[in-house]
């Protein structure tokens, strides 16, 4: 199996995030962790370890810690995070901040709440018909959170899980 080096992915994402936050008091910290289910005391529990490399099929948790380093409350903060290449979106991470979540299937050009739909043209009985079909989450290419407010000095987390292709 081909091993995917993940050290460059968070670095590239952080460079893009840093450019986006240059005029904002919000500090963004990206974490990418390998998620493994192990049995402890007869119960299945999840263990998170920093992901530096991974194999196809591995599940990763990608989270952003958003911290307001300013002196005023930031309202309706918009935070975008692309789904890394060679991975597929699975689901939102559990226990994250209360934020409105939007998804993109066009590389982050447009966003909408789930479920997303796309128009497809098919031929039925010799006629061309346009239908609207639901987009599967594994086709999501980016996620946007709109955070109602971040108070000075406070932090919150947003994130999602992905699977390595």
């Amino acid at each position: 199996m081909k091993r995917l080096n993940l050290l460059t992915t968070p670095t590239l994402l952080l460079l893009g995030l840093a450019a986006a936050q240059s005029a904002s008091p919000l500090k963004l910290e990206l974490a990418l962790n390998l998620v493994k289910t192990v049995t402890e005391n007869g119960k299945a529990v999840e263990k998170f370890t920093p992901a530096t490399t991974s194999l196809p099929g591995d599940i990763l948790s990608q989270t952003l810690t958003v911290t307001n380093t300013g002196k005023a409350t930031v309202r309706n903060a918009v935070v975008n995070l692309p789904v890394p290449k060679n991975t597929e979106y699975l689901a939102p991470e559990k226990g994250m901040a209360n934020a409105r979540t939007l998804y993109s299937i066009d590389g982050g050009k447009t966003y909408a709440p789930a479920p997303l739909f796309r128009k497809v043209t098919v031929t039925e009985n010799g006629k061309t018909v346009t239908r609207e079909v639901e987009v599967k989450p594994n086709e999501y290419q980016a996620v946007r959170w709109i955070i109602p407010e971040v108070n000075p000095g406070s932090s919150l987390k947003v994130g999602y899980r992905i699977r390595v292709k």
Side-chain angles (χ1 to χ4, degrees):
M1 282 191 199
K2 185 178 178 187
R3 191 173 283 276
L4 177 65
N5 183 348
L6 297 169
L7 288 176
T8 56
T9 300
T11 303
L12 292 174
L13 289 173
L14 282 176
L15 289 174
L17 293 171
Q21 70 174 357
S22 60
S24 170
L26 296 181
K27 175 181 157 191
L28 306 176
E29 294 178 69
L30 180 67
L32 189 61
N33 289 294
L34 181 63
V35 181
K36 290 286 185 184
T37 302
V38 297
T39 304
E40 287 184 356
N41 299 324
K43 289 185 175 183
V45 295
E46 289 184 334
K47 293 287 183 177
F48 294 78
T49 56
T52 55
T53 62
S54 65
L55 295 171
D58 281 350
I59 305 298
L60 304 172
S61 171
Q62 183 162 276
T63 59
L64 270 175
T65 301
V66 180
T67 304
N68 183 348
T69 60
K71 295 183 182 194
T73 298
V74 175
R75 298 189 194 293
N76 297 314
V78 176
V79 179
N80 298 328
L81 187 59
V83 175
K85 292 187 186 296
N86 300 319
T87 69
E88 62 184 4
Y89 177 89
L90 293 176
E93 189 58 74
K94 300 171 199 145
M96 297 286 121
N98 183 20
R100 196 169 96 199
T101 307
L102 306 172
Y103 302 92
S104 176
I105 57 171
D106 60 8
K109 293 176 188 162
T110 62
Y111 289 86
L116 299 181
F117 294 90
R118 96 167 34 119
K119 292 183 191 279
V120 295
T121 303
V122 295
T123 303
E124 293 179 356
N125 300 324
K127 292 188 177 194
T128 301
V129 179
T130 301
R131 299 229 183 269
E132 199 170 65
V133 296
E134 187 172 338
V135 176
K136 293 183 175 29
N138 67 353
E139 297 178 63
Y140 296 170
Q141 297 175 354
V143 180
R144 170 178 285 172
W145 294 274
I146 300 174
I147 305 165
E149 66 179 37
V150 186
N151 292 319
S154 69
S155 295
L156 55 88
K157 286 187 178 186
V158 294
Y160 55 76
R161 291 200 180 184
I162 51 179
R163 180 186 349 257
V164 178
K165 292 183 184 177

